[in-house]
Amino acid sequence: MRVARVAVVTGGTAGIGLATAHAFARDGWSVGIVARDEGRLRDAEAALRRHGGAVLALSADVADVEAVNDAADRFEAELGPIDTWVNNAMSSIVAPAPEIAPEEWRRVTETTYLSQVWGTLAALRHMRGRNRGTIVQVSSGLGLRAMPLQVPYCAAKHAVTGFTDGLRSEFLHEGVEINLTVVYLPAVNTPQFGWARTRTGAEQDIPAPVFDPRLCADAIRFAADHRRRDIYVGRSTIQMGLMQVVSPALSDRFMARGWDAQIGEAAPDKPGNLFAPAPGPAAIDGKFADKTTPTRSEFVTDRQRDVLVAGLAALAVGGVAALALGAGAARRLGRRRRRLLPRVF
């Protein structure tokens, strides 16, 4: 009898995390989820068990390294060897940077960046002895190119990339076969947009294009079975990465428009889920269904990116070579014409 593979998803009771947990459970995996709210954990656990596999839902604050380690130990003991660990949990605050208090900066950093460090290290304690497994860091296009009003979140997602790149280099040096994948996501229709702490006097809006959480789950699920370095979900994520590479200064101006794009209808500021869970059901979708594109295939990996870069480089080199050949031919033709033409005094 084949033993089910085990996947762990942090932030697994809503949005992308819950969609990802369902994707694994549908495919016959045993699934562990981590979140803070006990009610949502129980609801998500019951929904996941309908797929027929083993499910374990644990309450833990992912900013607490000991709680994350304890959760990893329980998943290993009760579900079996962890094959894939998905670091998905996050939090954010929507406010101008000078208006964000030090404890809010610290909390976003702990839940969005350090949670991925603690989750990765907890998974590695179990995976390294087997020298196999996959760790997926759920990042964002805002980890490639930051925007206003979410500076702590953007900075935390940039830090995730730096941490993962450094760890990959250590793995290469040590011969570790564990796979690390970063998945960069676009704007996604999840409940988080109703749960974020705000200090703008308005509801947080979301600029189009907006994508389905299930598309993100498909990309994460793909990473569990295919060794990829990076996965980019949605055209807007690719555009943000390209803009930042081609012209950071132009990107600054373009992203400045993101300030107004995030300001919705006037509303009282919200405490959000920064320090405590926000109320709400275990739901995948948010309130932007009217803006959401239905695509379930719009993601590319570093392999397609590298082919594109190689092709562009070949075109550039070919263009330079053609120009050089043309210039050389023109010089030779000029010298030949000077020899053939009569001298004029």
Side-chain angles (χ1 to χ4, degrees):
M1 180 178 177
R2 183 180 177 184
V3 178
R5 298 163 73 187
V6 176
V8 174
V9 183
T10 68
T13 60
I16 295 160
L18 182 55
T20 299
H22 274 289
F24 280 110
R26 272 194 306 271
D27 287 345
W29 289 53
S30 297
V31 177
I33 57 173
V34 179
R36 291 175 295 174
D37 187 88
E38 284 285 359
R40 275 198 296 272
L41 276 166
R42 302 287 75 81
D43 290 345
E45 187 176 42
L48 291 168
R49 281 187 173 148
R50 294 188 192 111
H51 296 291
V55 180
L56 178 60
L58 299 179
S59 177
D61 185 340
V62 291
D64 181 342
V65 61
E66 294 303 328
V68 175
N69 283 332
D70 290 345
D73 291 344
R74 280 198 61 187
F75 289 134
E76 280 270 331
E78 299 185 31
L79 294 179
I82 299 168
D83 182 88
T84 297
W85 181 290
V86 181
N87 286 309
N88 168 74
M90 50 75 67
S91 67
S92 186
I93 177 171
V94 185
E99 297 179 19
I100 300 172
E103 60 270 20
E104 293 169 330
W105 283 93
R106 185 176 297 111
R107 181 62 180 173
V108 173
T109 302
E110 289 173 345
T111 54
T112 305
Y113 166 54
L114 286 177
S115 70
Q116 301 217 15
V117 176
W118 306 149
T120 298
L121 297 179
L124 286 178
R125 283 195 301 109
H126 296 283
M127 291 179 177
R128 287 197 67 145
R130 301 185 287 265
N131 200 25
R132 60 179 174 81
T134 295
I135 298 171
V136 181
Q137 320 289 34
V138 178
S139 187
S140 166
L142 298 182
L144 300 170
R145 168 64 239 189
M147 73 185 302
L149 293 182
Q150 292 194 69
V151 176
Y153 174 82
C154 297
K157 288 301 190 184
H158 274 74
V160 167
T161 297
F163 164 68
T164 308
D165 286 350
L167 192 57
R168 282 196 192 98
S169 296
E170 291 190 0
F171 282 6
L172 288 169
H173 174 76
E174 297 174 346
V176 175
E177 293 296 326
I178 295 164
N179 185 50
L180 295 171
T181 299
V182 181
V183 181
Y184 295 95
L185 302 181
V188 184
N189 180 32
T190 75
Q192 175 60 30
F193 287 94
W195 293 352
R197 176 168 292 199
T198 59
R199 196 166 295 129
T200 61
E203 291 285 347
Q204 184 185 8
D205 204 351
I206 180 171
V210 181
F211 293 87
D212 191 315
R214 296 161 191 82
L215 168 66
C216 306
D218 290 344
I220 295 166
R221 177 68 188 84
F222 177 88
D225 287 330
H226 303 83
R227 295 182 70 91
R228 298 292 187 273
R229 187 183 192 279
D230 304 301
I231 298 177
Y232 306 90
V233 180
R235 73 206 74 148
S236 52
T237 301
I238 298 168
Q239 290 165 354
M240 291 168 75
L242 286 173
M243 280 195 313
Q244 184 65 9
V245 169
V246 172
S247 177
L250 184 61
S251 296
D252 292 340
R253 294 182 178 276
F254 181 82
M255 296 304 288
R257 303 176 189 174
W259 184 300
D260 293 334
Q262 295 178 80
I263 303 298
E265 296 181 0
D269 289 338
K270 291 184 292 189
N273 65 345
L274 202 54
F275 293 97
I284 292 175
D285 299 294
K287 60 183 179 179
F288 297 108
D290 58 327
K291 293 184 179 182
T292 302
T293 177
T295 178
R296 292 288 295 275
S297 60
E298 196 168 311
F299 67 86
V300 299
T301 76
D302 56 291
R303 294 192 180 182
Q304 284 86 25
R305 179 201 63 201
D306 292 347
V307 169
L308 175 62
V309 170
L312 292 173
L315 286 173
V317 170
V320 170
L323 286 172
L325 287 171
R331 285 195 298 271
R332 289 192 296 275
L333 179 60
R335 288 194 296 270
R336 184 164 177 264
R337 289 183 65 189
R338 283 196 295 273
R339 288 196 300 271
L340 295 174
L341 290 173
R343 301 181 100 187
V344 178
F345 297 96

